[in-house]
């Protein structure tokens, strides 16, 4: 029996210290692994971001514009290696909580064209889900048919996986409670918006500025924009603050939780 999967994104800003290069937040990783285990979701795909691992190196080697000179090829290797290091910490935590997690490396089964996912091999992932495995993917450097290579954000992955595997819902665990009327890190009076419709999202009605720290894939603005195709297909997305204990757990359980729901309206 197969269920429609839930797609959970663990933001790089949650599982790493984004201000310190190559620094994981082990406490957060451990807590989130525990929340995922406790929630006992029947079908789940986990995607995590790059934080101070992938973004730091992608910026250092200027990888966002694609292949420019041979020195960047080593940058590809280093950036990918950094992501596998972060991923192995996430995997350790998930496995220690007896989650049937299995790594699926995006660069090995996906190709992009001008930075957008062009093709992917779907069969292994489909079979993993049928088997009750929890595929764990991450933002990665991937081969690109026009640019040589590209940075594939976890957010684009989430949206594409949701569409390709007919997800029941998307849960985005970030470092803010959701979307605000203004940037909450700058404006104290900013108010959390509990629900945003597709129309409002497209009109950019609320404050969804890009993040201020190193993020080569566009921060909050990039995140919500990427979700539009999935929301158009009636897949609801919920933004929650994964730095706060129990929010991801409640979201996975379908319980009432502080956050922003994005839906077709
Ligand atoms: O943190 C980016 O993934 P994101 C991954 O989900 C790299 O945007 C390699 C920078």
């Amino acid at each position: 029996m197969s269920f429609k999967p839930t797609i959970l994104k663990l933001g790089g800003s949650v599982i790493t210290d984004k201000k310190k290069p190559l620094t994981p937040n082990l406490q957060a990783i451990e807590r989130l692994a525990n929340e995922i285990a406790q929630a006992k979701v029947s079908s789940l795909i986990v995607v995590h971001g790059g934080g101070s691992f992938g973004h730091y190196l992608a910026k250092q080697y200027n990888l966002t514009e694609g292949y420019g000179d041979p020195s960047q090829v080593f940058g590809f290797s280093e950036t990918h290696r950094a992501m596998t290091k972060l991923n192995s910490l996430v995997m350790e935590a998930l496995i220690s909580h007896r989650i049937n997690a299995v790594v699926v490396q995006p660069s090995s089964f996906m190709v992009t064209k001008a930075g957008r996912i062009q093709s992917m091999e779907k069969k292994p992932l489909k079979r993993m889900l049928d088997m009750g495995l929890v595929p764990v993917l991450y933002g990665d450097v991937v081969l690109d048919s026009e640019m040589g290579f590209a940075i594939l954000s976890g957010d684009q992955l989430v949206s594409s996986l949701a569409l390709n595997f007919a997800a029941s819902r998307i849960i985005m665990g970030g470092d803010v409670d959701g979307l605000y009327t203004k940037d909450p890190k700058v404006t104290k009076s900013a108010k959390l918006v509990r629900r945003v419709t597709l129309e409002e999202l497209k009109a950019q009605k609320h404050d969804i500025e890009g993040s201020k720290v190193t993020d080569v894939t566009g921060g909050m603005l990039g995140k919500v924009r990427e979700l539009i195709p999935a929301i158009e297909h009636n897949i609801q997305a919920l933004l929650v603050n994964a730095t706060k204990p129990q929010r991801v757990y409640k979201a996975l359980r379908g319980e009432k939780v502080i956050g922003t729901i994005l839906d077709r309206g």
Side-chain angles (χ1 to χ4, degrees), residues 9-13 18 47-51 53-56 58 79-80 83 138-141 151-156 215-219 223:
K9 165 104 194 270
L10 302 177
S13 54
K18 261 191 138 173
V47 176
H48 67 77
F53 283 71
H55 289 280
Y56 170 68
T79 306
H80 177 72
M83 284 310 300
Y138 48 87
D140 200 1
V141 270
I151 301 292
L152 173 60
S153 74
D155 304 317
Q156 190 188 151
D215 189 335
V216 296
T217 53
K223 196 179 302 298

Side-chain angles (χ1 to χ4, degrees), residues 57-78:
L57 286 158
K59 201 168 181 191
Q60 191 171 309
Y61 285 97
N62 194 22
L63 299 185
T64 33
E65 306 298 315
Y67 178 86
D69 73 84
S71 72
Q72 288 176 304
V73 181
F74 185 64
F76 183 106
S77 299
E78 271 216 284

